[in-house]
Amino acid sequence: MTQAPTPVDFWFDPMCPWAWIASRWIHEVAKHRPIEPRWHVMSLSVLNEDKDIPEQYRRMMDDGWGPVRVCIAVEQKYGSEVLGRLYTELGTRHHVEKADLGRATLEAALTALDLDPRLAAAADIDEYDEALRASHKDGIDRVGQEVGTPVISVEDVAFFGPVVTPMPRGEEAVKLWDGVLAVAGVDGFFELKRTRTRDPIFD
C-alpha cells in the first residue's frame, strides 16, 4: 500500500533568501520522502513593524509589503498549490536572477504562470492585509515572536529554519530533514545555533 504523503506546512516571505533556500530543500526532500508541501505566507514587514530596527532595514521592510500582499491575493484566488508555484517564480527572479520585487517583477511572474496579472495591484493596497496578518499569525504563533522565516510545521512539530547554505541535495537533504525533525520533536528543545560564516548561495 502506498503511504499517504505527510503534509508539511511552510511559511515564507518571498524576499527572504534563507527561506528561499529552505524551500528548495523542501522540494528536494519531497523527491525522497512522502511529504506534501503546503505553502503559506508570513511577513517580515509585519514581524518588524513595531520594532526598533536600523533605517536601512526599515526601508526593506517598507518595500516588503507589496510581494506578500500579492501572494495572499493569489492564494485566495487560486489556492496553496498555485501560491507555491508563484513563490518559485518570484524566488527564481529575485534570488537567482537578482530582479527586485517591484511591480514589474510581480506582473511578470503572474503572467508567466498564466495568472491574472491585475493581482499585482494588490501590492499597493491594504485590501489583503487582514488575511496576510492572519496567515502570518498562524505560522508565527507556532514558534514564537523572536524568530523569522521560514517556519515549518509537520505532525504537530513546528520550528524556525533551517538556515542552511548551499541547499543540501540527495541523501544530504534527507539527512538534514530527519535530523531537524528529531531535535524539533524533543520536548523542551528550543535552540541549536552557531554564527553564520557564509552568505546565501543560490544554485
Side-chain angles (χ1 to χ4, degrees):
M1 178 180 293
T2 303
Q3 180 181 351
T6 299
V8 175
D9 292 284
F10 190 108
W11 280 262
F12 67 89
D13 184 316
M15 72 177 179
C16 177
W18 302 107
W20 171 249
I21 294 172
S23 72
R24 301 310 95 183
W25 165 69
I26 285 292
H27 279 292
E28 183 74 7
V29 172
K31 299 176 184 178
H32 305 279
R33 285 282 192 270
I35 66 170
E36 178 188 359
R38 301 190 302 195
W39 306 98
H40 310 276
V41 184
M42 66 178 294
S43 170
L44 293 173
S45 300
V46 171
L47 185 69
N48 289 286
E49 63 182 339
D50 296 324
K51 295 182 179 178
D52 183 15
I53 56 177
E55 183 59 30
Q56 182 178 3
Y57 193 59
R58 173 61 64 197
R59 289 194 294 270
M60 290 176 56
M61 295 302 99
D62 290 343
D63 292 339
W65 286 95
V68 289
R69 286 168 168 166
V70 173
C71 284
I72 287 290
V74 166
E75 181 183 27
Q76 289 196 348
K77 183 168 185 175
Y78 298 102
S80 173
E81 190 274 333
V82 174
L83 171 63
R85 290 198 280 125
L86 176 65
Y87 181 31
T88 293
E89 192 70 31
L90 288 174
T92 300
R93 293 170 185 271
H94 179 56
H95 299 296
V96 179
E97 299 172 2
K98 306 305 180 185
D100 63 33
L101 284 172
R103 183 70 171 266
T105 299
L106 296 169
E107 289 180 350
L110 292 167
T111 300
L113 296 172
D114 292 323
L115 307 179
D116 185 353
R118 293 174 297 180
L119 291 177
D124 300 318
I125 59 178
D126 62 5
E127 177 181 347
Y128 296 94
D129 285 9
E130 182 177 353
L132 169 62
R133 291 178 184 278
S135 180
H136 173 87
K137 185 176 187 300
D138 185 24
I140 207 71
D141 280 355
R142 300 172 190 237
V143 290
Q145 295 292 322
E146 300 306 318
V147 298
T149 175
V151 169
I152 299 175
S153 179
V154 55
E155 294 184 338
D156 297 323
V157 175
F159 51 89
F160 157 65
V163 174
V164 59
T165 193
M167 184 198 85
R169 299 182 183 277
E171 291 184 6
E172 189 176 36
V174 173
K175 182 169 70 172
L176 177 60
W177 173 251
D178 292 342
V180 167
L181 287 187
V183 297
V186 173
D187 182 49
F189 177 84
F190 295 105
E191 188 170 350
L192 183 67
K193 191 172 183 178
R194 62 177 179 168
T195 299
R196 292 196 301 265
T197 57
R198 300 178 188 173
D199 292 330
I201 299 171
F202 309 114
D203 56 356

